């Protein structure tokens, strides 16, 4: 399908129809009926029964301007509901439907107070740790804009994680939030131990430390760190450089004595429990030991079983080296929960991942740019370009992408970030990443709420700047699919997104059972928010991972006209929309048995 109506309309007996660029053109008039005060025209797009529908209250040769401002009157909630009861529904049933419409509390408040175009498109993930694990602390993060809660299985017991999951679920059920759950596996790479139970330790310049694989019955000796890899002392040699947590702290290896490796601190810094370790020799990363370590350890499989039993929404796999690892895990998840759906994210944090990047992302449900560990394996100056490459590839393949590690690292200790950190966050937003992730800033930092506030404010500012940049031209995405049915859905979503931009629509509506067309709309990064209506909470939570999607849970039918009428009435009753708002609507909500004869359409509607 061509991107504009100019390219798809053929002239015959004609009516006056407005093109996307504001020009009047002739289109074949296949039918004209009155639907709820709107004139309904159907324009053939050249695929048999599939047609592009354009609904306008008054079709003329004028541009579609923004919706006129509505008079805001002070009315009670009951009065608003009464005013919007459809003629086909009684007041009690409609009131129940209004209450059953599930939308995130923060999203609803934002739409009511600030309108459509002020809503944040970039999602925020917070790693949960000791600094933010209570119900009240989680509620504060959710109220600040947390969309995904990450459980890092490197830390904490299963009982601790189970309690966090319980709090998140209770928060969603009782407070009206929509926070998805992501479990992150530890992986088999070399890690430090838990520092004897202390929260952190400071390594000073020139200070000598011992890294050991020995086990201790009592407290650890001073300046001693346990390592999880038994062959560590055999692999390391004197003169090697030991890099902690992606370069936050560095040590020079002095000598190996049995199971111990004696080192001298060359770059001082804060040592954190379970931090990743790499070592370099003659300026090159030593990789021999990684070849014999499996991507998923025995502990990881136990953690995965725990995540499946708890029904998490996503599992992030650390140190993915090949697509086979992801395929194996997805097959295992399918066998364990055939009725459920858990998304598998590949963490890109190793050179091996970059060597087969596209094949890994194709089989995954999303990717995470884990810049900390990745920056320990490739030259630092390559990290920005690799980040851009991964984001672009994920968008092309229609997979959500997270940018993680050290976004606001200084806010672990300080209440405001550095200017460089703000610029880093702004660049990730400008690159159109789906999700920004906080790690230590939220898990163990002193200012988790302020950290999420910084991400929210920077995202809103940069997103607004991108929308207002008139020099930014619409760049069509490369075609994703080859099968005709998938190409049709892709082109429908491409055209809907471009229509929304050119008509300055207030929102795009999509009715979806599995999230398929919602993700295709998100891939286009339109200027307006995307209201994604789905019937299940699992799909609603998964949609919370993708750029620009505002997920709602709503029971709907296969009839898009009845869905639109009901949705307009419900959203007006909840105060999230008003008469005159301009909406683009698409749908993929038909059951598989009905799809052979479906009429796939784009509708342009003013809310009555």
């Amino acid at each position: 399908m061509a991107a504009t109506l100019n390219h798809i309309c053929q002239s015959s007996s004609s009516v006056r129809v407005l093109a996307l660029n504001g020009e009047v053109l002739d289109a074949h008039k296949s039918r004209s009926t009155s639907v709820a005060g709107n004139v309904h025209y159907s324009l053939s797009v050249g695929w048999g029964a599939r047609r592009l529908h354009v609904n306008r209250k008054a079709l003329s040769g004028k541009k579609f301007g923004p919706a006129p401002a509505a008079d805001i009157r002070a009315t009670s909630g009951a009065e608003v509901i009464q005013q919007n009861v459809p003629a086909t529904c009684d007041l009690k049933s409609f009131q129940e439907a209004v209450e059953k419409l599930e939308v995130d509390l923060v999203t609803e408040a934002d739409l009511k107070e600030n309108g459509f175009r002020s809503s944040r498109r970039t999602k925020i993930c917070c790693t949960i740790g000791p600094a933010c694990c209570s119900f009240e602390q989680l509620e504060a993060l959710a109220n600040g804009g947390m969309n995904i809660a990450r459980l890092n299985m490197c830390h904490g017991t299963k009982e601790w994680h189970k309690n966090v999951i319980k709090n998140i679920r209770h928060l969603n059920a009782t407070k009206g939030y929509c926070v998805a759950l992501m479990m992150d596996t530890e992986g088999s790479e070399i890690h430090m131990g838990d520092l004897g139970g202390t929260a952190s330790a400071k390594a000073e310049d020139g200070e000598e430390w011992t890294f050991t694989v020995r086990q201790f019955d009592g407290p650890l000796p001073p300046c001693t760190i346990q390592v999880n890899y038994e062959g560590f002392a055999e692999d390391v040699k004197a003169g090697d450089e030991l890099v902690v947590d992606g370069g936050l702290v560095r040590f020079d290896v002095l000598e190996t004595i049995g199971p111990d490796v004696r080192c001298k601190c060359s770059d001082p810094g804060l040592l954190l429990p379970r931090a990743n370790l790499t070592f370099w020799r003659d300026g090159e990363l030593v990789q021999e030991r990684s070849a014999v370590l499996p991507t998923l350890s025995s502990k990881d499989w136990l953690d995965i079983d725990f995540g499946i039993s708890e029904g998490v929404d996503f599992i992030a796999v650390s140190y993915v080296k090949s697509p086979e690892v992801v395929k194996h895990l997805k097959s295992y998840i399918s066998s364990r929960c055939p009725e459920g759906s858990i998304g598998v994210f590949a963490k890109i944090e190793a050179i091996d991942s970059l060597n087969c990047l596209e094949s890994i992302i194709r089989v995954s449900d999303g990717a995470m740019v884990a810049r900390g560990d990745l920056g320990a394996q490739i030259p630092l100056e390559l990290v920005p370009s690799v980040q851009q490459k991964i984001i672009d590839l994920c968008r092309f393949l229609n997979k959500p992408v997270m940018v993680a590690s050290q976004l606001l690292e200084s806010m672990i200790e300080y209440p405001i970030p550095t200017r460089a950190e703000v610029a880093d966050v702004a660049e990730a937003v400008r690159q159109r990443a789906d999700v920004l992730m906080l790690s230590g800033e939220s898990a163990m930092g002193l200012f988790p709420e302020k950290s999420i506030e910084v991400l929210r404010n920077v995202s809103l500012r940069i997103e607004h700047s991108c929308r207002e940049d008139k020099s930014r031209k619409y760049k069509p995405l490369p075609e994703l699919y080859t099968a005709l049915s998938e190409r049709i859905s892709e082109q429908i979503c491409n055209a809907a997104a471009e229509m929304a931009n050119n008509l300055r629509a207030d929102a795009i509506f999509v009715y979806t059972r599995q999230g398929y067309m919602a993700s295709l709309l998100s891939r286009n990064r339109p200027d307006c928010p995307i209201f994604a209506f789905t019937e299940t909470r699992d799909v609603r939570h998964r949609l919370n991972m993708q750029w620009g999607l505002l997920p709602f849970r709503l029971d709907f039918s296969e009839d898009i006209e009845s869905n639109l009428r009901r949705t307009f009435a419900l959203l007006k009753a909840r105060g999230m929309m008003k008469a005159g708002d301009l909406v683009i609507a698409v749908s993929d909500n038909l059951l598989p048995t009905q799809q052979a004869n479906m009429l796939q359409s784009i509708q342009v509607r003013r809310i009555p």
Side-chain angles (χ1 to χ4, degrees):
M1 180 187 294
T4 66
L5 294 181
N6 307 62
H7 297 149
I8 62 176
C9 297
Q10 300 296 325
S11 177
S12 180
S13 61
S14 60
V15 290
R16 305 294 275 176
V17 179
L18 187 69
L20 295 183
N21 59 8
E23 297 175 359
V24 177
L25 47 101
D26 291 332
H28 177 67
K29 181 179 180 181
S30 60
R31 70 179 181 270
S32 173
T33 56
S34 178
V35 182
N38 292 291
V39 180
H40 186 183
Y41 291 95
S42 178
L43 306 176
S44 172
V45 300
W47 281 315
R50 301 178 187 273
R51 298 181 183 276
L52 173 65
H53 296 278
V54 179
N55 290 266
R56 284 292 294 173
K57 196 156 190 174
L59 286 171
S60 66
K62 297 180 180 179
K63 285 191 176 182
F64 292 166
D71 294 331
I72 306 298
R73 295 185 300 155
T75 56
S76 68
E79 288 175 331
V80 171
I81 291 175
Q82 262 186 325
Q83 292 168 5
N84 291 282
V85 178
T88 57
C89 185
D90 62 87
L91 177 59
K92 183 178 179 182
S93 299
F94 183 67
Q95 191 164 9
E96 290 176 354
V98 171
E99 293 172 356
K100 285 182 180 178
L101 177 66
E102 294 181 18
V103 59
D104 183 75
L105 182 68
V106 176
T107 297
E108 181 173 5
D110 193 33
L111 290 172
K112 288 178 179 179
E113 294 174 13
N114 304 313
F116 295 98
R117 291 184 173 261
S118 65
S119 63
R120 175 171 47 85
R121 315 294 199 267
T122 309
K123 304 304 179 71
I124 296 175
C125 175
C126 296
T127 302
I128 308 305
C132 61
C133 59
S134 71
F135 183 83
E136 293 75 20
Q137 290 167 329
L138 291 169
E139 183 177 7
L141 292 181
N143 193 52
M146 175 176 66
N147 304 107
I148 305 106
R150 171 178 173 254
L151 305 173
N152 187 354
M153 303 309 288
C154 286
H155 309 281
T157 64
K158 286 191 173 55
E159 284 304 313
W160 184 90
H161 288 294
K162 194 168 187 175
N163 190 58
V164 171
I165 292 171
K166 178 183 175 182
N167 283 338
I168 293 289
R169 294 257 164 81
H170 186 58
L171 192 66
N172 289 341
T174 61
K175 300 291 186 177
Y177 295 102
C178 179
V179 178
L181 286 162
M182 168 176 272
M183 191 195 81
D184 197 331
T185 64
E186 180 177 345
S188 296
E189 296 299 291
I190 302 175
H191 292 279
M192 295 182 353
D194 61 4
L195 302 181
T198 60
S200 63
K202 186 68 179 291
E204 301 291 351
D205 187 25
E207 200 170 43
E208 289 193 7
W209 285 72
T210 299
F211 290 79
T212 183
V213 297
R214 286 188 294 166
Q215 300 297 317
F216 295 92
D217 294 329
L220 290 175
C223 296
T224 300
I225 295 174
Q226 289 176 303
V227 179
N228 70 334
Y229 173 46
E230 291 185 359
F232 181 69
E234 286 79 14
D235 284 356
V236 176
K237 297 181 180 180
D240 288 352
E241 183 181 41
L242 189 61
V243 179
V244 179
D245 208 4
L248 293 183
V249 188
R250 294 175 184 267
F251 294 87
D252 293 328
V253 176
L254 300 177
E255 63 176 341
T256 59
I257 308 172
D260 301 335
V261 178
R262 193 166 65 88
C263 303
K264 183 177 181 180
C265 180
S266 56
D267 278 345
L270 199 64
L271 298 169
L272 303 177
R274 314 295 294 175
N276 171 256
L277 293 175
T278 57
F279 55 95
W280 295 65
R281 185 174 302 148
D282 300 325
E284 294 185 358
L285 178 70
V286 178
Q287 290 186 279
E288 288 83 356
R289 86 280 187 267
S290 67
V292 300
L293 295 176
T295 298
L296 293 169
S297 65
S298 56
K299 177 184 181 301
D300 290 334
W301 284 112
L302 292 174
D303 290 339
I304 288 166
D305 285 338
F306 169 77
I308 292 172
S309 66
E310 291 297 319
V312 298
D313 301 292
F314 306 97
I315 292 177
V317 184
S318 298
Y319 303 103
V320 175
K321 301 182 179 77
S322 71
E324 282 69 30
V325 173
V326 179
K327 291 178 185 177
H328 181 47
L329 177 56
K330 292 179 79 170
S331 175
Y332 180 75
I333 292 173
S334 297
S335 67
R336 289 293 308 276
C337 52
E339 300 301 321
S341 54
I342 298 175
V344 175
F345 270 59
K347 294 177 68 177
I348 310 301
E349 52 190 339
I351 290 179
D352 294 329
S353 304
L354 298 180
N355 292 336
C356 49
L357 182 62
E358 183 171 341
S359 59
I360 288 174
I361 293 177
R362 280 189 181 276
V363 299
S364 304
D365 297 305
M368 181 192 296
V369 190
R371 305 178 307 174
D373 291 331
L374 184 62
Q377 298 203 12
I378 64 174
L380 289 176
E381 62 271 18
L382 292 181
V383 172
S385 58
V386 169
Q387 173 179 310
Q388 178 76 72
K389 177 182 178 181
I390 296 170
I391 291 173
D392 291 344
L393 183 58
C394 284
R395 187 179 172 192
F396 165 61
L397 296 175
N398 196 29
K399 304 296 175 78
V401 58
M402 311 174 72
V403 174
S405 305
Q406 302 168 359
L407 284 171
L408 301 172
E409 189 79 8
S410 68
M411 292 193 74
I412 292 176
E413 298 183 81
Y414 302 102
I416 61 171
T418 67
R419 279 39 173 184
E421 288 170 338
V422 172
D424 180 37
V425 171
E427 182 60 22
V429 175
R430 194 174 285 110
Q431 291 173 352
R432 304 302 183 92
D434 292 87
V435 184
L436 303 177
M437 194 184 90
L438 295 174
S439 299
E441 304 95 329
S442 58
M444 54 167 290
L446 299 177
F447 308 98
E449 293 173 46
K450 289 187 176 181
S451 297
I452 199 170
E453 182 182 2
V454 170
L455 289 190
R456 185 182 69 243
N457 290 342
V458 173
S459 296
L460 285 168
R461 176 72 68 177
I462 299 303
E463 289 166 359
H464 179 268
S465 174
C466 289
R467 290 193 296 271
E468 294 300 312
D469 183 4
K470 302 300 182 183
S471 64
R472 183 171 59 91
K473 301 294 184 182
Y474 176 80
K475 295 180 180 179
L477 291 165
E479 287 195 6
L480 179 59
Y481 299 112
T482 56
L484 180 61
S485 60
E486 294 176 324
R487 286 184 62 203
I488 290 170
S489 296
E490 179 184 351
Q491 295 294 339
I492 285 279
C493 290
N494 293 350
E498 187 179 1
M499 288 175 73
N501 289 346
N502 291 336
L503 303 182
R504 292 190 58 80
D506 294 293
I508 298 175
F509 281 13
V510 56
Y511 298 88
T512 180
R513 294 192 186 278
Q514 299 298 326
Y516 172 59
M517 287 188 77
S519 68
L520 286 173
L521 287 166
S522 171
R523 177 179 183 246
N524 281 275
R525 306 297 195 253
D527 288 344
C528 63
I530 303 163
F531 285 42
F533 300 97
T534 188
E535 293 182 308
T536 65
R537 290 188 176 91
D538 288 345
V539 174
R540 181 180 169 221
H541 285 167
R542 286 210 313 274
L543 294 177
N544 220 13
M545 180 68 79
Q546 293 185 271
W547 189 98
L549 295 183
L550 304 181
F552 292 72
R553 201 197 72 78
L554 173 72
D555 295 327
F556 48 71
S557 68
E558 285 74 43
D559 179 17
I560 191 169
E561 182 59 40
S562 64
N563 289 336
L564 285 171
R565 289 187 187 183
R566 184 163 178 262
T567 306
F568 290 163
L570 292 173
L571 292 178
K572 285 169 66 179
R574 288 279 285 261
M576 287 183 276
M577 301 195 83
K578 61 184 182 297
D581 287 335
L582 185 64
V583 171
I584 310 291
V586 299
S587 176
D588 70 350
N589 68 328
L590 294 182
L591 297 172
T593 55
Q594 300 169 309
Q595 289 177 357
N597 298 314
M598 72 178 175
L599 181 71
Q600 199 160 345
S601 66
I602 303 173
Q603 295 200 26
V604 183
R605 301 287 289 269
R606 286 275 191 206
I607 294 184

